[in-house]
Amino acid sequence: MSELQKRYAKIERNTNETQIALSFGIDGAGESMQDSGVPFLDHMLDLFTRHGHFDLTVKAKGDIEIDYHHTVEDIGICLGHSLREALGDKKGIKRYGNAFVPMDDALAQVVIDISNRPHLEYRAAYPSNVVGQFPTELVHEFLWKFALEARINLHVILHYGHNTHHMIEAIFKALGRALDEATTIDPRVKGVPSTKGVL
């Protein structure tokens, strides 16, 4: 099995609030299968997967009769953890990724450093507090938990827009594209791309 084929992880997380099984492949074909009970999140994860050329499967059962918070948060945790595990020693990766994505009226930018220093810088404001039944505040919750567990430096900048769905969609597409760039193997990189010798 090649090193690229090994960039894959599977995780299960079971709590009193959620039960999640998630698998993530960095070097995929954009194959996506989500069943989280949160339709809008499933749609966003599908976009993230296809634009990043990853493979992602999510099966989740959560206390959505209360609200979506625990399910969205825990999927972010699981996705971040699986990314960190799939990356392994991070040898040969580009490390940095940057993507601008327009979606009709909206323009989003995502910048990533796979640094082993978790941070989320989130500059986004929406004209609506919900998209369908999905609270927009959960976008921040998902991204923060993802960055924290993946141990990446994640900057999300929503430059403008007036349709909330389009704005969030642009963010998730840009997240996939920036992460694809950052995780790409660059044959010029010997070891890890850091003067410290470790990421």
Side-chain angles (χ1 to χ4, degrees), residues 30-178:
E31 294 182 358
S32 173
M33 185 168 58
Q34 282 84 46
D35 180 13
S36 71
V38 185
F40 185 75
L41 179 63
D42 288 346
H43 178 40
M44 293 302 108
L45 291 175
D46 183 49
L47 296 169
F48 160 77
T49 303
R50 293 178 187 275
H51 282 263
H53 305 288
F54 308 125
D55 288 337
L56 176 64
T57 300
V58 179
K59 178 71 174 176
K61 181 178 172 63
D63 56 358
I64 57 174
E65 70 279 2
I66 297 173
D67 67 11
Y68 291 154
H69 183 99
H70 295 141
T71 302
V72 173
E73 177 182 36
D74 285 5
I75 290 173
I77 288 171
C78 290
L79 183 59
H81 185 93
S82 66
L83 170 61
R84 187 173 82 248
E85 186 176 321
L87 279 168
D89 60 15
K90 307 181 186 73
K91 286 182 179 178
I93 64 168
K94 286 189 173 182
R95 176 178 168 177
Y96 296 98
N98 178 37
F100 284 89
V101 169
M103 176 62 195
D104 295 352
D105 53 287
L107 179 65
Q109 180 184 12
V110 172
V111 186
I112 290 173
D113 176 10
I114 301 175
S115 61
N116 202 36
R117 296 189 304 276
H119 179 80
L120 172 65
E121 196 67 32
Y122 183 73
R123 309 282 178 90
Y126 305 104
S128 172
N129 292 327
V130 295
V131 179
Q133 301 299 313
F134 186 88
T136 57
E137 65 180 15
L138 293 183
V139 177
H140 178 277
E141 190 67 29
F142 174 86
L143 293 171
W144 167 228
K145 294 303 163 45
F146 171 64
L148 185 64
E149 290 297 320
R151 298 194 63 81
I152 62 173
N153 192 309
L154 176 60
H155 291 246
V156 176
I157 305 159
L158 184 61
H159 289 283
Y160 48 77
H162 58 255
N163 180 287
T164 302
H165 187 132
H166 292 168
M167 295 158 84
I168 298 172
E169 183 166 330
I171 288 172
F172 274 83
K173 288 177 176 177
L175 177 65
R177 289 177 173 269

Side-chain angles (χ1 to χ4, degrees), residues 18-34:
T18 63
Q19 295 82 50
I20 296 168
L22 182 149
S23 64
F24 180 70
I26 294 173
D27 307 290
E31 294 182 358
S32 173
M33 185 168 58
Q34 282 84 46

